[in-house]
Amino acid sequence: MIELRNVTLKYGERVILDKVSLTVRDNTIKAVLGPSGVGKSTVIKLMLGLIKPNGGGQVFVDGVDITPLKEADLYPIRRKMGIVFQGNALFDSMTISQNMSFFLRENLRLPDDEIERRVTEQIHFAGLEGYEDQLPESLSGGMKKRVAIGRALIFNPKTILFDEPTAGLDPVSSRKILNLIASLKKSNDLGAVFVTHIIDDVFAIADEVAVLYQGKIIFDGPTEQLHESEHPFIRSILSDKILEL
Ligand SMILES: Nc1ncnc2c1ncn2[C@@H]1O[C@H](COP(=O)(O)OP(=O)(O)OP(=O)(O)O)[C@@H](O)[C@H]1O
Ligand SMILES: [Mg+2]
C-alpha cells in the first residue's frame, strides 16, 4: 500500500535517510522504531507527500509513484491515509464534534446528515459519547488522542499513520490507544503505520517492525523475529527496553 524505495532525504547537507526502503502492506500494523531525532516524523511526511525525497528514491502509494505529483494531485492520494499527529493538532476553539467534522466539511461536499452520521459513528467508536460539545482542553490526553484518531478515520482511509501515538500518555491510556489501533485492523480492515521510540508499543501490537538507526533501516521483518537480530543497537534496545537519546 505504501512504499519508500531507496529514499534519500537531506536537510541541508545533513543526510537524514540514506537509501531507505520500507513497505507498509494493507491490513498490517507496521511499526517504525527509532531513537529521538532519527527521522521518524520525516518518514511519515514522505509517505503523505508533504516532503519529497531530495536525494533520490521514490514513494509509492497504492502502486502510484507520488514523487512527481503536484500538490493538487496529492489530495486524492492523501485521502487514502489518515494521519494522527504527535501532538494531536486539535483545534482548541472547536468542540469535539467540530474537530472531527472540520476536514470533512472543508474537503468533501457531503450532505449535512452524512457528516453527522460519520461524526456520531466516530464519537461512538472513540467512546466519547457525552463529550461532543466540549472543547479539547477539558479532555484527558488519552481522550484527545481518541478525538484525533476519530478525525483521521472519518474519511474512511485504507491506512492510518500515527506519529508517536503514546507519547506523553500514562501507561493505562497508552494501553487503551494501542488496543484501539489494534482493533482498527480487525473491525475496519485498516492498515496502520506508527512511528515510535518505545519498544513495548511495538511488541504490544505491531505485526512488522522496521528499525531506523543512523539513517538506515537495520531491521525489517515480523516483530517476533526482532529477537534474532544481532545488530548491537537492537541488542541494546532489547535489554534496555526504552530507547535512549
Ligand atoms: N525542516 C527541517 N530542517 C532542518 N532539519 C530538520 C527539519 N526537520 C527535521 N530536521 C532534523 O532532522 C532530524 C530528523 O527529524 P525528525 O523530526 O524526522 O526526527 P524524529 O525521529 O521524528 O524525532 P523525534 O523523536 O524528536 O520526534 C532531526 O535531527 C531534526 O532536527
Ligand atoms: Mg518525530
Side-chain angles (χ1 to χ4, degrees):
M1 160 69 191
I2 311 175
E3 183 190 350
L4 267 53
R5 196 181 291 174
N6 279 321
V7 167
T8 296
L9 193 281
K10 305 178 205 174
Y11 289 125
E13 287 303 297
R14 240 181 99 211
V15 177
I16 305 297
L17 304 177
D18 185 7
K19 295 205 179 81
V20 163
S21 294
L22 187 69
T23 303
V24 182
R25 293 184 291 123
D26 285 343
N27 201 18
T28 299
I29 301 181
K30 176 110 185 189
V32 179
L33 177 71
S36 176
V38 76
K40 300 183 298 295
S41 298
T42 300
V43 166
I44 297 257
K45 287 177 195 157
L46 282 161
M47 289 175 170
L48 291 164
L50 294 171
I51 53 174
K52 305 234 175 194
N54 57 8
Q58 294 157 293
V59 179
F60 293 86
V61 176
D62 261 351
V64 176
D65 181 3
I66 69 163
T67 31
L69 297 187
K70 294 194 204 69
E71 197 57 25
D73 296 325
L74 282 167
Y75 290 137
I77 302 277
R78 285 192 193 131
R79 221 167 278 149
K80 298 174 186 225
M81 296 175 274
I83 168 75
V84 178
F85 293 102
Q86 181 164 348
N88 301 320
L90 299 181
F91 301 108
D92 295 338
S93 59
M94 291 185 199
T95 67
I96 301 315
S97 287
Q98 288 165 345
N99 262 284
M100 284 196 178
S101 63
F102 181 76
F103 292 114
L104 210 50
R105 237 177 256 287
E106 292 290 300
N107 297 332
L108 297 185
R109 292 208 190 93
L110 292 178
D112 278 355
D113 59 346
E114 172 61 13
I115 292 179
E116 207 169 301
R117 192 192 65 74
R118 290 200 192 188
V119 169
T120 306
E121 186 182 51
Q122 290 312 325
I123 291 277
H124 177 72
F125 181 76
L128 290 163
E129 290 98 340
Y131 293 92
E132 293 89 337
D133 300 325
Q134 307 255 356
L135 293 175
E137 63 184 11
S138 62
L139 268 55
S140 70
M143 289 162 103
K144 284 183 199 158
K145 185 63 71 186
R146 280 169 10 226
V147 176
I149 294 173
R151 188 175 64 177
L153 288 175
I154 215 158
F155 281 96
N156 296 325
K158 277 181 75 177
T159 306
I160 183 160
L161 280 50
F162 294 89
D163 195 345
E164 302 266 6
T166 63
L169 298 181
D170 63 79
V172 174
S173 304
S174 290
R175 192 69 228 183
K176 279 191 191 158
I177 293 300
L178 292 171
N179 288 344
L180 190 65
I181 297 173
S183 74
L184 290 174
K185 188 179 115 168
K186 289 202 197 82
S187 58
N188 301 32
D189 244 13
L190 227 77
V193 49
F194 70 101
V195 305
T196 184
H197 67 283
I198 303 170
I199 198 161
D200 281 348
D201 291 1
V202 175
F203 286 120
I205 59 164
D207 301 309
E208 294 178 10
V209 56
V211 183
L212 187 58
Y213 179 64
Q214 295 182 342
K216 303 263 191 200
I217 298 288
I218 58 168
F219 175 89
D220 189 1
T223 304
E224 64 272 15
Q225 287 177 14
L226 190 61
H227 290 285
E228 294 162 24
S229 169
E230 286 174 6
H231 193 286
F233 178 72
I234 294 176
R235 301 280 5 131
S236 79
I237 57 178
L238 286 170
S239 47
D240 290 339
K241 285 299 187 104
I242 300 228
L243 302 187
E244 300 299 326
L245 283 177

